[in-house]
Amino acid sequence: MEPPAAKRSRGCPAGPEERDAGAGAARGRGRPEALLDLSAKRVAESWAFEQVEERFSRVPEPVQKRIVFWSFPRSEREICMYSSLGYPPPEGEHDARVPFTRGLHLLQSGAVDRVLQVGFHLSGNVREPGSPGEPERLYHVSVSFDRCKITSVSCGCDNRDLFYCAHVVALSLYRIRHARQVELRLPISETLSQMNRDQLQKFVQYLISAHHTEVLPTAQRLADEILLLGSEINLVHGAPDPTAGAGIEDANCWHLDEEQIQEQVKQLLSNGGYYGASQQLRSMFSKVREMLRMRDSNGARMLILMTEQFLQDPRLALWRQQGTGMTDKCRQLWDELGALWVCVVLSPHCKPEERAGWLQLLSRWDKLDVCPLEEGNYSFDGSSLQPTVAPSPELLQKGSTCITNTEGWVGHPLDPIGCLCRALLEACRLEEETLTLYSDTSPEKRKVAYQHVPVPGSPGESYLVLALEVALLGLGQQRALPEGLYAQDKVVRNEEQLLALLEEVELDERLVQVLRKQAGLLLEGGPFSGFGEVLFRESVPMHTCARYLFTALLPHDPDLAYRLALRAMRLPVLETAFPAGEPHPNPLDSIMSNRFPRWFILGHLETRQCELASTMLTAAKGDPKWLHAVLGSIQQNIHSPALLFKLAQDACKTATPVSAPPDTTLLGIALELGLQVMRMTLNVMTWRRREMVRWLVSCATEIGPQALINIMQNWYSLFTPVEAATIVAVTGTTQATLLRLQLDTPRREELWACARTLALQCAMKDPQNCALPALTLCEKNHSAFEAAYQIVLDAAAGGLGHAHLFTVARYMEHRGLPLRAYKLATLALAQLSIAFNQDSHPAVNDVLWACSLSHSLGRHELSAIVPLIIRSIHCAPMLSDILRRWTLSAPGLGPLGARRAAKPLGADRAPLCQLLDAAVTAYITTSHSRLTHISPRHYGDFIEFLGKARETFLLAPDGHLQFAQFLENLKQTYKGKKKLMLLVRERFG
């Protein structure tokens, strides 16, 4: 059997033809060294030189050495590619785990020594410091290379990974950076050919002696085969030489550990649910893309290996059996896989036979049952694309028309626009000569630079211009939003990826002219353009693209930039066309629930719409014409209150810089947007309303007192009574606001009067929640305060609850108006009803406070409130508690200032005797009620209850007799409850 080409047979004696060829090559020895090096370099790179035939031994020794010298890779870029991640580390960080970084550090620290190159084989030692407390480690490294590519590697560290280990990197970089210091030898077959028989025998015997434990069995086997005349080894001319390189016909490529790639992809797919696994797979995709960029054949090899592992993912069969779709993360990975295959198959640098082989592979994979279908249904029923009625000329302007392009180019499974744009940009990319990806001095991500590259056969055209035109053509296409969450999300992601590519391109005058031309074409593109006058209701909005175009065009053609961005503000799916006479629904409910398809990404699209509007507002600062145009577009097209509020906030912030006077026009627009939000959300309460109201008052304050007065006077259409009374009126009259406005006394009083009027109006409309704030705000104005108090009295008759009346009553007492507090307390008690079993009623403390207030006012007020207490409160413990409190001290001063009593009131005398009778009756009634459904576990509580009852009974002169009669009645009535009655007798006799 013929040995592998990489170990081509060497060392045979040269024939006459070979000697002639060698002599012809020897004639080149008289040429200058530079010319000889150039020739050898050509041979090393292409292995095709007119004076070099297949066998290396025919070349004179000087040329041989130069060919060997120039055959090692001369660029560090490939070494980095095969020993680093597919993406740069986070900004400002160095990943010490990256093999290239570690290898570079080892080289710089002098860890590489004993480097020897024998033919096309490089070897050396790399010393790596051990961990703390561990000795230094020595690794033997060897590298084979061929035509400026590393074809195989071996290292004593046995590190299995996708990348070359740090020790291989260190040795390779040493060979590149210190090439003249490397000891250079010809391939071992060339050296052996110069030895005679005795030298060869000595060489073999010394070799066996030095490594007899390892090679002696192999040496004996080979000797036996050579001595056997008919053996296979004797049928082969020459002998293999691992240091001699490959033959001309042999394909050469960089070393790639295929087994390790398959194993790692398999492991990462098994951990597909984790974020880190997806990231590592994407880094492998980036590595493939990097290889393709450098026209490395390993890019396609690696992609084939990854695809095969993707198809062996056991989850595919499971999802197929269950009839469920794959996860979004998995879909994204498959999309990237497909996009890379598009790049590979369409590459202009691939050979026809390679492309045919790839297409055959793709066809075979496509026939597999587990091969997933392309995501997204890009077809629509004709009926869904037609107008629903007869964003007529009026309806055409609203966007009720059919769409021309049902299949979008951006978001398409094959990503045609993205692939073409990247290919065109790649042709214009400026490559740096020095390697700075992982250098210590510049950890930041390098900025990509592009240049104009002429298109052959098209004068005046460049690939960079074509890339810009292609991207804008796809982004500006009017197309229907596809079905499904993932397909819609893909549209968004593809748009963002395309725009990220365009943002890397620095616009020169030539590109600006292209941008202006394309923008004009988009505006005049009719139904084919997403910027045309007529827009289909289900069309993908142009907000993200328009924001890029607006920013790029603004310095060069502001008029065109604004016209384009204002046209793109439309979101037709939110604009429903209604026949004349029909009312428009609430803006928050204008989205049709039965529309086709469902817009899963509507929230994202609305956010992008808001960002476009914010960009325009910021740019239009100082230009009233465009500011009002942008405001009109916002009011017409944005329907989300939250986003309108954000725009208002952004506009206010932009209009009021710290170190410059405010822009009054932009401030007015911010206020107008805020007012629109208030009107939209007036009847739709959200948790952000209070924040919105406070901000609106603050914005009006920035504009001036008249704006503040206006929102107070028109509060009905903007705020609820509670918001107006507790936030608007209060915040608008705080000391901080008044200082900010710097008003004189008349103007300040005008603002106060407006706030008081507002508060009184709110109190009349919602007395329960606004009466107290109105009283507080009107404290300093007697007539306004009296009006507010009267509103409370009128509301009490109209159903104002006891809780609110008690709250206002306490306020009156705190303000020093006890009689008004007493009046309100009696009104509250008249509405109150506390049942016999409501010991913990919420109003208990309010009742006790009212009783304490009446007691402090005097005997007259106390006498007047007793009937109210008896009528409203039926809880025995509560009545007895009130009775005891009133008997502890004498009543206070009356309204005329004369003391009514000098000693505490007796419970058996008026007016407390009525309360005592009510308390006794309540205890009797409550006892019978509790005994009706009492359970043994409550017997103890009932005995305690009777003990409190006896204390109340004893307050009466004949209380002892009444309590005895009460107990006897219980014993007779409930004699069947023997255990309970036994407990009663034990406690009370």
Side-chain angles (χ1 to χ4, degrees):
M1 182 180 292
E2 185 176 350
K7 300 179 180 179
R8 182 69 59 187
S9 300
R10 305 292 184 187
C12 297
E17 297 84 3
E18 297 168 356
R19 286 195 296 269
D20 289 344
R27 287 195 291 268
R29 295 180 182 177
R31 294 183 294 177
E33 290 292 321
L35 185 59
L36 192 60
D37 275 342
L38 178 61
S39 301
K41 184 176 180 181
R42 288 178 59 191
V43 173
E45 290 176 342
S46 65
W47 212 242
F49 187 60
E50 64 274 11
Q51 293 180 331
V52 179
E53 297 183 4
E54 179 182 352
R55 295 185 53 188
F56 188 80
S57 59
R58 302 174 182 177
V59 184
E61 183 175 335
V63 180
Q64 287 181 349
K65 287 188 175 180
R66 280 171 169 77
I67 291 175
V68 169
F69 179 84
W70 286 109
S71 291
F72 195 86
R74 294 181 298 279
S75 171
E76 298 181 9
R77 191 170 189 81
E78 290 83 1
I79 307 297
C80 175
M81 183 173 69
Y82 281 92
S83 58
S84 60
L85 301 173
Y87 56 91
E91 185 176 346
E93 296 183 8
H94 288 289
D95 194 342
R97 298 169 297 176
V98 175
F100 185 86
T101 306
R102 290 175 54 208
L104 186 61
H105 290 163
L106 288 172
L107 174 67
Q108 293 171 344
S109 63
V112 183
D113 61 3
R114 302 193 66 180
V115 181
L116 173 65
Q117 180 177 335
V118 180
F120 301 91
H121 185 85
L122 182 70
S123 62
N125 292 340
V126 179
R127 302 179 184 276
E128 187 172 30
S131 303
E134 295 183 2
E136 181 182 69
R137 288 168 291 185
L138 177 65
Y139 298 107
H140 300 285
V141 186
S142 64
V143 173
S144 296
F145 52 92
D146 179 32
R147 284 166 275 181
C148 302
K149 293 182 178 67
I150 292 178
T151 56
S152 66
V153 299
S154 174
C155 180
C157 70
D158 292 328
N159 183 33
R160 297 296 306 276
D161 199 355
L162 293 179
F163 311 121
Y164 298 164
C165 69
H167 316 107
V168 171
V169 172
L171 178 63
S172 302
L173 293 180
Y174 184 94
R175 172 62 176 79
I176 294 173
R177 297 190 178 187
H178 309 291
R180 301 294 178 182
Q181 301 177 20
V182 176
E183 191 175 355
L184 182 62
R185 295 288 187 271
L186 293 177
I188 194 65
S189 58
E190 303 300 322
T191 304
L192 293 178
S193 67
Q194 300 173 17
M195 298 183 185
N196 57 31
R197 186 211 177 268
D198 293 336
Q199 290 173 323
L200 285 171
Q201 183 170 357
K202 182 177 291 187
F203 172 78
V204 173
Q205 289 183 216
Y206 267 98
L207 180 63
I208 295 174
S209 176
H211 304 283
H212 65 279
T213 57
E214 292 90 355
V215 303
L216 187 57
T218 304
Q220 185 60 54
R221 179 178 58 80
L222 293 174
D224 293 341
E225 291 185 13
I226 289 175
L227 291 175
L228 185 62
L229 293 179
S231 64
E232 184 179 354
I233 197 171
N234 285 322
L235 298 178
V236 177
H237 184 68
D241 181 1
T243 67
I248 292 177
E249 72 282 2
D250 295 331
N252 72 320
C253 57
W254 285 83
H255 170 71
L256 192 68
D257 193 335
E258 297 186 357
E259 182 182 348
Q260 185 61 25
I261 288 175
Q262 292 174 317
E263 185 62 33
Q264 184 150 348
V265 173
K266 179 179 180 181
Q267 182 179 357
L268 291 173
L269 286 174
S270 66
N271 298 329
Y274 297 98
Y275 174 77
S278 299
Q279 283 296 97
Q280 291 186 58
L281 285 170
R282 286 193 176 91
S283 75
M284 296 179 71
F285 286 142
S286 298
K287 183 61 64 179
V288 172
R289 200 175 291 278
E290 186 179 359
M291 291 176 177
L292 296 177
R293 182 182 298 121
M294 299 184 69
R295 304 181 188 178
D296 189 336
S297 60
N298 277 340
R301 285 177 62 202
M302 185 170 176
L303 189 59
I304 290 173
L305 296 171
M306 295 184 70
T307 305
E308 290 175 342
Q309 290 303 312
F310 266 71
L311 287 168
Q312 293 176 20
D313 188 350
R315 295 177 298 174
L316 294 178
L318 180 64
W319 288 327
R320 180 178 176 83
Q321 291 173 1
Q322 296 176 347
T324 58
M326 61 177 66
T327 62
D328 285 352
K329 286 184 179 179
C330 196
R331 282 194 182 112
Q332 292 175 17
L333 294 173
W334 273 96
D335 282 347
E336 294 189 47
L337 194 72
L340 283 173
W341 270 116
V342 172
C343 296
V344 169
V345 175
L346 298 183
S347 172
H349 307 294
C350 70
K351 301 176 183 177
E353 57 270 20
E354 289 178 328
R355 182 178 287 113
W358 294 332
L359 292 176
Q360 186 178 3
L361 267 178
L362 291 170
S363 299
R364 177 165 59 84
W365 291 334
D366 184 59
K367 294 176 183 177
L368 298 176
D369 291 337
V370 295
C371 185
L373 299 175
E374 293 171 350
E375 168 61 24
N377 180 9
Y378 287 79
S379 63
F380 291 87
D381 294 333
S383 59
S384 67
L385 303 175
Q386 301 301 323
T388 55
V389 292
S392 66
E394 294 78 13
L395 294 182
L396 282 177
Q397 295 301 318
K398 294 192 175 185
S400 293
T401 181
C402 62
I403 194 167
T404 306
N405 305 308
T406 58
E407 182 175 75
W409 296 332
V410 176
H412 191 279
L414 296 180
D415 190 21
I417 298 296
C419 289
L420 187 54
C421 184
R422 288 186 184 92
L424 293 170
L425 287 176
E426 193 64 37
C428 307
R429 185 169 180 161
L430 280 173
E431 298 289 351
E432 294 187 10
E433 295 183 359
T434 57
L435 187 71
T436 59
L437 185 57
Y438 290 101
S439 64
D440 293 334
T441 56
S442 58
E444 299 84 5
K445 183 179 179 181
R446 292 178 298 170
K447 185 175 181 180
V448 181
Y450 297 98
Q451 62 181 346
H452 286 280
V453 177
V455 179
S458 300
E461 289 281 11
S462 79
Y463 288 122
L464 196 56
V465 168
L466 291 179
L468 182 60
E469 290 178 346
V470 164
L472 295 179
L473 183 67
L475 290 167
Q477 178 199 31
Q478 181 170 185
R479 56 201 186 274
L481 190 73
E483 293 183 73
L485 172 60
Y486 182 75
Q488 293 177 13
D489 181 65
K490 191 174 180 180
V491 170
V492 173
R493 282 189 286 108
N494 281 175
E495 281 187 347
E496 292 174 347
Q497 290 165 0
L498 270 175
L499 290 173
L501 286 175
L502 294 185
E503 287 172 353
E504 290 181 346
V505 179
E506 186 174 349
L507 297 177
D508 56 16
E509 184 59 32
R510 187 174 176 184
L511 292 178
V512 168
Q513 294 305 319
V514 173
L515 206 64
R516 295 176 68 176
K517 176 184 175 182
Q518 291 298 316
L521 291 175
L522 287 173
L523 285 173
E524 300 169 1
F528 296 96
S529 171
F531 292 87
E533 291 186 8
V534 178
L535 197 64
F536 172 58
R537 200 173 65 87
E538 300 288 347
S539 289
V540 176
M542 297 287 109
H543 308 136
T544 310
C545 176
R547 187 181 179 196
Y548 164 77
L549 290 173
F550 176 79
T551 305
L553 286 171
L554 187 63
H556 311 284
D557 194 339
D559 184 73
L560 178 60
Y562 278 107
R563 286 196 297 121
L564 192 79
L566 290 171
R567 179 76 63 81
M569 277 292 292
R570 299 169 295 181
L571 188 52
V573 73
L574 298 183
E575 301 294 340
T576 307
F578 293 94
E582 290 191 10
H584 195 283
N586 185 291
L588 294 180
D589 301 327
S590 62
I591 306 173
M592 296 180 64
S593 59
N594 60 345
R595 67 181 186 272
F596 176 82
R598 293 183 63 190
W599 284 56
F600 297 99
I601 58 170
L602 183 60
H604 176 85
L605 296 177
E606 287 186 293
T607 301
R608 291 291 178 262
Q609 182 188 37
C610 175
E611 290 173 354
L612 173 61
S614 180
T615 301
M616 286 195 289
L617 279 177
T618 302
K621 179 182 178 181
D623 190 333
K625 169 192 170 183
W626 288 119
L627 278 175
H628 286 98
V630 174
L631 173 63
S633 179
I634 291 172
Q635 292 176 323
Q636 179 181 354
N637 295 295
I638 297 185
H639 304 274
S640 167
L643 294 179
L644 283 172
F645 180 57
K646 183 181 184 304
L647 282 175
Q649 288 180 305
D650 292 345
C652 184
K653 185 177 180 180
T654 303
T656 54
V658 178
S659 57
D663 186 310
T664 55
T665 305
L666 189 53
L667 263 179
I669 286 177
L671 180 64
E672 183 60 33
L673 290 174
L675 294 174
Q676 182 176 347
V677 172
M678 292 296 102
R679 287 189 288 265
M680 291 174 67
T681 60
L682 179 60
N683 298 318
V684 185
M685 289 292 101
T686 68
W687 60 273
R688 298 194 66 187
R689 275 284 297 189
R690 291 184 65 84
E691 176 193 357
M692 294 175 177
V693 174
R694 290 184 187 279
W695 177 87
L696 189 70
V697 174
S698 174
C699 182
T701 303
E702 291 290 338
I703 295 177
Q706 191 57 48
L708 201 55
I709 290 174
N710 287 340
I711 65 172
M712 288 185 181
Q713 291 175 342
N714 298 285
W715 72 270
Y716 282 100
S717 61
L718 301 172
F719 314 109
T720 64
V722 176
E723 292 169 345
T726 61
I727 302 177
V728 179
V730 174
T731 307
T733 54
T734 60
Q735 188 65 23
T737 302
L738 296 176
L739 289 175
R740 176 71 176 167
L741 293 173
Q742 297 181 349
L743 302 177
D744 54 18
T745 302
R747 193 70 168 157
R748 179 175 296 192
E749 183 53 37
E750 180 184 3
L751 184 61
W752 269 109
C754 186
R756 288 193 292 266
T757 302
L758 167 70
L760 291 175
Q761 291 173 346
C762 294
M764 293 180 65
K765 194 166 185 178
D766 185 5
Q768 288 191 351
N769 298 306
C770 300
L772 185 58
L775 287 166
T776 304
L777 197 67
C778 298
E779 279 184 349
K780 297 180 180 179
N781 186 281
H782 178 72
S783 59
F785 186 82
E786 291 298 319
Y789 176 64
Q790 188 59 46
I791 290 174
V792 175
L793 294 179
D794 295 341
L800 185 62
H802 60 82
H804 294 92
L805 288 171
F806 275 128
T807 301
V808 177
R810 286 175 180 267
Y811 163 78
M812 289 293 184
E813 183 196 32
H814 180 73
R815 197 174 179 275
L817 301 171
L819 291 179
R820 290 191 173 184
Y822 174 78
K823 173 66 174 176
L824 294 172
T826 58
L827 293 174
L829 284 171
Q831 297 185 11
L832 184 63
S833 178
I834 300 180
F836 72 92
N837 58 350
Q838 293 183 303
D839 311 48
S840 56
H841 192 280
V844 168
N845 289 330
D846 288 329
V847 172
L848 295 177
W849 167 82
C851 293
S852 176
L853 174 66
S854 62
H855 185 267
S856 67
L857 289 175
R859 186 186 183 99
H860 176 76
E861 287 74 15
L862 189 146
S863 300
I865 205 173
V866 166
L868 290 174
I869 296 291
I870 294 173
R871 184 168 59 251
S872 301
I873 301 172
H874 308 284
C875 178
M878 193 173 176
L879 289 171
S880 61
D881 187 20
I882 296 172
L883 183 62
R884 288 190 183 85
R885 288 171 182 261
W886 279 346
T887 57
L888 292 177
S889 61
L893 296 176
L896 300 179
R899 184 172 290 276
R900 298 290 187 86
K903 60 180 181 178
L905 297 175
D908 57 336
R909 302 180 62 183
L912 298 188
C913 61
Q914 300 173 358
L915 185 60
L916 177 59
D917 292 341
V920 169
T921 303
Y923 269 115
I924 294 172
T925 304
T926 304
S927 297
H928 285 290
S929 178
R930 293 182 64 172
L931 285 172
T932 302
H933 302 288
I934 195 170
S935 62
R937 62 176 180 169
H938 294 136
Y939 285 174
D941 294 339
F942 182 73
I943 297 300
E944 294 300 321
F945 178 77
L946 287 180
K948 294 179 180 178
R950 181 172 63 179
E951 294 176 0
T952 303
F953 272 80
L954 294 178
L955 292 175
D958 57 345
H960 182 75
L961 181 60
Q962 289 186 42
F963 186 70
Q965 292 175 349
F966 169 58
L967 288 181
E968 189 61 30
N969 180 264
L970 290 180
K971 293 174 185 178
Q972 293 298 322
T973 305
Y974 304 98
K975 58 185 177 180
K977 301 182 182 299
K978 296 181 179 180
K979 186 176 180 180
L980 177 59
M981 294 303 106
L982 178 62
L983 293 175
V984 171
R985 290 189 184 92
E986 290 177 352
R987 177 73 178 271
F988 304 106

